Amino acid sequence: MDLKEKLVSSFLAFENRVDIDAYVHDVRSDAIKVFEEKGFPSKKEEEWKYTSLNSILKEDYSVFPKQENALDYKDVKQYFIHDIDTYKIIFIDGKYSSHLSQTTHDGIDVCLMSAALNKPKYQLIIENYFNKAATKDSLPSLNTAFSSEGAYIHIPKNKIVQKPIQILHFSTGNESATMLQPRNLIVVDENSHVQIIERHQSLTDNPVLTNSVTEIFANKRAIVDYYKIQNDNENASLIDNTFVKQKRESLASVHTFSFGGKLTRNNLNFYQGGERIDSTLKGITIIGDKQHVDHNTLVHHIEPNCESHQDYKGIFSDRSTGVFNGKVLVDKEAQKTNAFQANNNILLSDKASINTKPQLEIFADDVKCSHGCTIGQLDESAMFYMRSRGIPEKEAKALLMFAFSNNVLSSVKIPEVKQRITKIIAKKLGVNIGFDL
């Protein structure tokens, strides 16, 4: 039995474990039919032309991991950003960990999805927002079919959340191979502001496949600041599907930092549903060995007087492979759009590769849109200048790569996140640089 057949046959067992009278029952049932019809994407599809899932689909994944020994804080402390006070929503092998989490219902709802899906007090939000941004593609539909655990965050209007929210998913490796499907729903109402940090982390070298879906709704004049830290073990693969719907005068930004894992695919979709909206998509990828990272982005400009900014930096060594497929779609009514898109890459090895495809589809005639990509190596004249000033070659290379990434790092609004990313980059580059960018 292949993985698709296993998942489809497991759906009935899953349904027996959840409330079939809940609103999401029909949503789940429709979603599994979509996945059964479409199956896993292949390289025959244009958007998956440079990314094959074959190597990760051959494992015999446990779809419902056993819940064994709970983790202690000391076991996972290093993965928290503990320099600042935060709310925490922690999952172990796909299940909520109450003793590691710190949630709240004090004026805001920071809690777990399974409670929201089944309690009447959350029904209105679930009916209005759940699965209203996610596409009907095969992998988001698969996640929808098995949606149960994940983060539920609702910020009522006129609230500024005083501390960031951390969402962490840990895989213990208790099974020989594990598949996880977390589902996050984040609703930020009018004039509210929230900062969120998300991480998926394996604790052993056993294979893990995570198919995650996050839906973010930024209502009028809301501000959402989201950070994804992807620095997993070499046998962990992540397919991250994030959908952002924005209303008038909202600001939403997603920063994606991809440093580890076997295969990472980031599907990031922004939909602008009002005027004077600002959308920011930025990322840094630094990988080596045979790692593979694929960023697939979409910004859909629907109404006039809006902006979007995409800036992705990639550094690839050894036999690693990068993919960037960024699309900006400007509707006929979206006059006065200002859209910027850039993808810049450095190849440190003759065997590393990058496939990049920035795209613009513009149906309006009064816009400012630009896109571009670069692929090259480190500047030899800059290297010579630094070496001539007594800087060793390894440190000189690291400084140049830090400078290359700096305009993405400089837009990070949480200093502790910036410090953590700086340390990870220094470790990836094999140097110890005593400053924070």
Side-chain angles (χ1 to χ4, degrees):
M1 182 184 297
D2 65 15
L3 183 57
K4 177 188 173 183
E5 293 172 339
K6 183 175 184 177
L7 288 164
V8 172
S9 63
S10 298
F11 179 71
L12 289 177
F14 170 78
E15 281 282 78
N16 290 333
R17 298 166 54 170
V18 295
D19 184 4
I20 63 172
D21 295 323
Y23 163 77
V24 295
H25 170 68
D26 290 340
V27 178
R28 290 190 185 111
S29 298
D30 292 340
I32 196 65
K33 292 175 184 176
V34 172
F35 174 72
E36 187 173 11
E37 177 186 347
K38 294 185 175 181
F40 287 100
S42 72
K43 295 181 74 172
K44 293 179 181 179
E45 299 175 36
E46 182 63 28
E47 291 190 350
W48 290 84
K49 184 177 180 180
Y50 299 108
T51 298
S52 171
L53 299 180
N54 291 340
S55 64
I56 63 174
L57 297 182
K58 62 184 180 181
E59 301 287 348
D60 184 18
Y61 294 106
S62 172
V63 179
F64 306 122
K66 298 175 184 176
Q67 301 303 303
E68 297 186 355
N69 298 330
L71 295 174
D72 292 326
Y73 178 68
K74 62 181 176 58
D75 298 325
V76 294
K77 178 181 178 181
Q78 61 180 307
Y79 303 112
F80 290 84
I81 297 179
H82 46 75
D83 310 84
I84 49 173
D85 188 21
T86 62
Y87 297 112
K88 301 174 184 66
I89 311 177
I90 312 303
F91 300 90
I92 302 173
D93 290 334
K95 294 297 182 182
Y96 175 69
S97 171
S98 58
H99 76 284
L100 290 178
S101 299
Q102 179 190 347
T103 60
T104 183
H105 297 282
D106 185 15
I108 61 176
D109 287 317
V110 179
C111 59
L112 63 157
M113 178 68 82
S114 58
L117 290 175
N118 297 300
K119 290 188 177 180
K121 66 177 289 189
Y122 302 113
Q123 185 173 355
L124 186 61
I125 294 293
I126 293 298
E127 291 184 2
N128 286 336
Y129 292 101
F130 180 79
N131 209 44
K132 296 298 192 294
T135 61
K136 302 301 186 286
D137 295 324
S138 62
L139 292 174
S141 295
L142 174 61
N143 177 283
T144 299
F146 287 90
S147 57
S148 175
E149 293 282 14
Y152 173 86
I153 299 170
H154 176 216
I155 314 300
K157 66 179 182 179
N158 302 320
K159 291 281 186 180
I160 297 178
V161 182
Q162 296 300 319
K163 52 187 182 181
I165 301 168
Q166 292 193 73
I167 306 171
L168 281 83
H169 297 270
F170 293 108
S171 173
T172 62
N174 288 333
E175 307 273 1
S176 59
T178 304
M179 184 173 185
L180 303 173
Q181 300 204 73
R183 180 66 171 241
N184 303 320
L185 177 62
I186 298 153
V187 180
V188 185
D189 284 343
E190 183 177 339
N191 298 322
S192 293
H193 180 194
V194 68
Q195 295 178 313
I196 300 171
I197 307 158
E198 181 187 49
R199 181 164 185 166
H200 300 264
Q201 187 63 49
S202 304
L203 302 178
T204 71
D205 290 330
N206 287 350
V208 177
L209 172 58
T210 301
N211 177 39
S212 174
V213 169
T214 299
E215 294 183 289
I216 302 171
F217 295 87
N219 289 308
K220 289 190 296 184
R221 294 181 295 279
I223 302 175
V224 180
D225 198 18
Y226 207 102
Y227 300 94
K228 296 176 179 288
I229 301 175
Q230 301 169 346
N231 190 30
D232 215 336
N233 293 340
E234 61 182 11
N235 286 325
S237 295
L238 171 66
I239 301 169
D240 187 277
N241 307 279
T242 300
F243 305 91
V244 184
K245 275 197 169 184
Q246 294 182 249
K247 294 290 183 67
R248 179 166 58 88
E249 297 177 40
S250 63
L251 282 73
S253 64
V254 175
H255 287 69
T256 306
F257 300 101
S258 303
F259 304 122
K262 181 177 182 179
L263 182 149
T264 303
R265 165 78 176 214
N266 291 301
N267 298 314
L268 180 56
N269 299 274
F270 276 68
Y271 306 98
Q272 298 185 336
E275 295 193 42
R276 293 180 293 281
I277 287 173
D278 196 313
S279 305
T280 298
L281 303 76
K282 294 192 176 186
I284 297 174
T285 300
I286 304 177
I287 55 174
D289 298 323
K290 295 182 180 180
Q291 293 176 302
H292 182 106
V293 172
D294 181 344
H295 296 286
N296 189 288
T297 69
L298 166 69
V299 180
H300 189 174
H301 290 268
I302 302 170
E303 297 196 30
N305 302 304
C306 295
E307 296 189 8
S308 67
H309 307 269
Q310 297 187 59
D311 193 0
Y312 284 80
K313 305 287 190 181
I315 300 173
F316 305 93
S317 61
D318 303 321
R319 296 176 178 268
S320 61
T321 303
V323 181
F324 177 79
N325 189 351
K327 185 175 183 180
V328 176
L329 175 59
V330 183
D331 285 356
K332 184 177 180 180
E333 294 78 15
Q335 304 292 343
K336 305 293 184 182
T337 289
N338 183 6
F340 167 82
Q341 182 189 87
N343 174 230
N344 305 109
N345 305 282
I346 292 176
L347 300 181
L348 299 178
S349 164
D350 292 339
K351 296 180 179 179
S353 63
I354 172 73
N355 300 284
T356 180
K357 185 182 178 184
Q359 302 175 70
L360 296 177
E361 288 190 22
I362 303 171
F363 299 96
D365 54 16
D366 186 7
V367 300
K368 292 181 180 178
C369 297
S370 64
H371 69 162
C373 65
T374 60
I375 302 171
Q377 297 177 327
L378 289 176
D379 188 334
E380 291 186 4
S381 60
M383 276 291 296
F384 176 79
Y385 176 83
M386 297 177 75
R387 294 294 307 281
S388 67
R389 266 56 182 177
I391 300 175
E393 181 179 4
K394 191 174 184 179
E395 283 71 17
K397 283 184 177 180
L399 286 168
L400 288 176
M401 286 185 276
F402 267 110
F404 175 73
S405 308
N406 190 39
N407 63 331
V408 174
L409 276 173
S410 64
S411 63
V412 175
K413 297 182 178 65
I414 304 176
E416 293 80 4
V417 171
K418 185 184 295 186
Q419 291 169 10
R420 174 62 63 90
I421 298 302
T422 301
K423 290 177 181 177
I424 293 174
I425 292 176
K427 187 175 180 180
K428 289 287 290 185
L429 300 178
V431 295
N432 183 17
I433 298 178
F435 64 85
D436 293 323
L437 296 175

